[in-house]
Amino acid sequence: MLRPKIPTMPTPTGHVTPPAVVEPTAVVPAAQTPPPTPAAPAPSRSVVQLTPGTALALVGGGTAVVLVVGAVLVSMLLAVAITGVSVAVCAVVLRSLLASETKRR
């Protein structure tokens, strides 16, 4: 009764390029190279030196990040508060309308 139609593969139209023929090539081994000598070991901990300019830049960047994140969070909180107040006003108006209609009957 409900048999799905299996689509047929469309034949290509227009300019069709024939498949490329790949010919096998001989593998020629390369000359043996000696293993690289190990370099001198690097110090295990790198020393980070903060100049007054970089410290000031880090403090400024951190302050900017805190201010941006704070502004975003405060705006989201304000949006939730405004939405809550508007829903409460709508509920009071609907309650008033329904109460006045029941008094008329």
Side-chain angles (χ1 to χ4, degrees):
M1 184 173 143
L2 296 173
R3 292 188 181 204
K5 288 186 175 181
I6 300 174
T8 58
M9 187 69 170
T11 57
T13 58
H15 182 58
V16 178
T17 58
V21 178
V22 179
E23 296 180 10
T25 58
V27 177
V28 179
Q32 295 292 332
T33 58
T37 58
S44 59
R45 287 183 60 189
S46 62
V47 178
V48 177
Q49 295 179 352
L50 291 177
T51 63
T54 57
L56 188 63
L58 286 175
V59 169
T63 304
V65 167
V66 167
L67 288 176
V68 168
V69 169
V72 168
L73 291 178
V74 167
S75 65
M76 289 173 64
L77 181 65
L78 185 62
V80 169
I82 290 173
T83 304
V85 169
S86 65
V87 167
V89 168
C90 289
V92 168
V93 169
L94 284 175
R95 181 179 173 194
S96 173
L97 288 174
L98 290 175
S100 67
E101 187 163 319
T102 55
K103 286 182 183 177
R104 289 183 185 167
R105 291 186 181 184

